[in-house]
Amino acid sequence: MKKVCISYDTGGGRRGGHYTHYSFTGLPGVEIAALADSNPEAEKTFRLTGAKRLYTSFVTMMEQEKPDIVILCSRLPKEHYEQIRFALNHHCHVLCEKPLAETPVQADELIELSHRTGCLVQMAHLARFAPTFRTMKKMIEAGEIGQVLTCYLRGKEDTRGGGEDMQVLGTHVLDAAAWIFGMPEQVYSEIRWQGRFLKADDLLTTTEPVGPCGGDEIFSLYRFKNGVNGIFESRRLIENGDQRLGITVCGSKGILTIRYTGNRALRICRDFPVPMEDRSDFQEVPLPEEPEIPGSVKLEYEKLGINPKVYYHLYFAENNRRAAWNLLQSIEGKETLTAGIDSALVSLEMITGAYQSALRHAPVSFPLQDRRHPLAKEGE
């Protein structure tokens, strides 16, 4: 029986809430021991998770409970760095909301610590667990769209469009591209602020403290192995930006696409290499039925505040559970981590490399030789 604790601070006007705190709820072989939340109104959340004890301090909870696994629900990378480091130093495995950290320097330290302690860190890069993205990856590998030419990645492009969008939402699609095609070889990026090229001191005041960000317009060209080009783009205040967040992969025989809207369906168009105006047709790809987690108890969605009629609610809830189960199986040596800490470094390098390239006006190769984020404070 693995003892699980949850760090889910709901105070201070925080955004997010992707049901990470329910990741282990109803899974076999676990005890939800405690939840830490500084919010004085945390009693309801505490009860719904099935936790036995409530703390107002993460550190106190960890020292008192000594869990085997801790869930870190914050989406703020500075808190991830501090809490993951604390957990690993206390011989505790981790399931963490993305992104891993603010800079590659921080990530390198956490990866070294994870390897040294033997404690696993699973990141909530949920595309790796979602049936739509897993089916996309299998179809690409099976040659369903022929030779892959270009992968188009877009952010949400709302008021956070540009640097904050790349950090908060671009992380998902960048990680998905790296998972499908491997670590890119290089990036060339143009980042602009109010029409001019970004400067090193153009640090954004972001909606929430998500780490160093800059620019309201980003265009990055990544070169993957086997000649695959990856394009990430985000601009601020593009109308109906919710419709664009996602990934489109163009091959010599067709196109596969997933948008983060509606039911996040996987669709295919068998035109080359872009839709032909007179005959393009995208059809939804049927997905294989997902096997139940052995011994698990189905989540009572309404009771937990999850609306089963809203697809992204189910997307978060079910794929976080798959991430948690994969972590449990990996701890037992039965599986390999699907979204482990080493893989989480790649999307962070892709973001950092985009800034390095934009400020140098030159391509930057991966892995990054300079581990510093050019917009971060000295030493970070």
Side-chain angles (χ1 to χ4, degrees):
M1 185 72 68
K2 300 295 183 186
K3 179 189 273 193
V4 176
C5 284
I6 306 167
S7 176
Y8 184 39
D9 201 322
T10 58
R14 290 162 177 260
R15 302 183 66 173
H18 295 159
Y19 307 122
T20 318
H21 52 301
Y22 295 139
S23 298
F24 288 88
T25 301
L27 294 187
V30 300
E31 172 199 4
I32 312 296
L35 179 142
D37 189 345
S38 65
N39 187 351
E41 300 179 359
E43 186 71 22
K44 181 179 179 181
T45 303
F46 157 63
R47 295 295 179 193
L48 290 176
T49 62
K52 296 180 172 61
R53 290 168 290 280
L54 178 62
Y55 293 81
T56 58
S57 164
F58 166 77
V59 171
T60 301
M61 177 184 71
M62 295 293 290
E63 291 178 340
Q64 292 290 325
E65 297 290 341
K66 297 179 174 56
D68 300 298
I69 303 168
V70 65
I71 310 171
L72 305 180
C73 301
S74 169
R75 63 195 233 158
L76 305 182
K78 184 175 182 180
E79 292 181 356
H80 295 172
Y81 171 68
E82 295 165 351
Q83 293 184 339
I84 292 174
R85 185 172 58 175
F86 187 95
L88 295 178
N89 279 321
H90 287 75
H91 308 289
C92 179
H93 304 287
V94 177
L95 173 62
C96 184
E97 181 60 274
K98 59 80 196 166
L100 174 59
E102 290 187 341
T103 68
V105 172
Q106 294 176 344
D108 290 342
E109 179 185 342
L110 296 178
I111 290 170
E112 189 279 329
L113 185 57
S114 173
H115 292 174
R116 177 156 47 87
T117 60
C119 292
L120 303 180
V121 179
Q122 176 92 292
M123 299 301 298
H125 279 139
L126 299 185
R128 294 174 179 246
F129 302 95
T132 48
F133 284 94
R134 293 206 314 273
T135 302
M136 172 186 269
K137 186 174 189 292
K138 289 178 181 178
M139 291 178 71
I140 290 169
E141 291 172 347
E144 285 284 335
I145 59 171
Q147 179 184 348
V148 177
L149 305 172
T150 309
C151 174
Y152 296 95
L153 313 162
R154 294 201 79 92
K156 200 168 187 177
E157 298 185 306
D158 54 15
T159 56
R160 299 165 294 178
E164 187 173 3
D165 191 17
M166 180 166 64
Q167 179 81 339
V168 175
L169 297 157
T171 301
H172 286 297
V173 292
L174 291 171
D175 177 76
W179 173 53
I180 295 170
F181 302 114
M183 188 171 192
E185 297 173 344
Q186 68 173 35
V187 60
Y188 178 79
S189 184
E190 285 191 0
I191 302 179
R192 294 174 183 267
W193 171 243
Q194 298 179 346
R196 61 168 172 77
F197 286 122
L198 186 76
K199 298 178 182 177
D201 57 356
D202 287 333
L203 193 63
L204 282 176
T205 300
T206 52
T207 306
E208 52 187 332
V210 295
C213 298
D216 56 11
E217 182 181 338
I218 293 176
F219 181 88
S220 297
L221 174 61
Y222 295 93
R223 181 72 171 184
F224 294 92
K225 294 180 179 178
N226 300 320
V228 177
N229 288 320
I231 296 172
F232 175 82
E233 188 168 9
S234 174
R235 303 186 186 207
R236 181 172 294 184
L237 289 174
I238 300 294
E239 187 178 355
N240 295 325
D242 280 358
Q243 307 302 314
R244 271 186 293 277
L245 174 62
I247 177 172
T248 299
V249 182
C250 295
S252 59
K253 296 180 180 178
I255 304 165
L256 287 168
T257 186
I258 299 172
R259 301 259 72 79
Y260 278 68
T261 186
N263 64 352
R264 302 192 181 191
L266 171 63
R267 294 182 172 87
I268 188 167
C269 174
R270 298 191 183 277
D271 284 342
F272 159 82
V274 292
M276 303 294 288
E277 290 82 354
D278 58 346
R279 61 182 179 87
S280 63
D281 179 29
F282 280 85
Q283 299 178 342
E284 188 167 331
V285 176
L287 303 177
E289 186 174 344
E290 284 295 298
E292 294 288 335
I293 295 173
S296 65
V297 176
K298 188 173 179 61
L299 292 177
E300 298 181 56
Y301 296 128
E302 290 87 352
K303 179 181 177 181
L304 299 175
I306 300 169
N307 187 346
K309 296 180 180 179
V310 179
Y311 183 79
Y312 68 82
H313 283 210
L314 300 181
Y315 181 90
F316 292 136
E318 293 299 334
N319 292 318
N320 273 313
R321 293 186 100 202
R322 293 183 181 109
W325 180 245
N326 175 242
L327 175 58
L328 287 170
Q329 294 294 94
S330 298
I331 291 170
E332 297 295 329
K334 298 176 182 178
E335 293 183 9
T336 301
L337 278 181
T338 299
I341 191 169
D342 294 85
S343 70
L345 176 62
V346 179
S347 57
L348 182 57
E349 286 202 46
M350 291 172 75
I351 292 171
T352 304
Y355 284 113
Q356 291 181 359
S357 172
L359 292 173
R360 299 174 189 176
H361 302 287
V364 171
S365 297
F366 296 108
L368 298 178
Q369 297 302 304
D370 185 351
R371 311 299 291 170
R372 298 168 299 175
H373 193 301
L375 301 185
K377 295 179 181 178
E378 191 66 29
E380 293 183 344

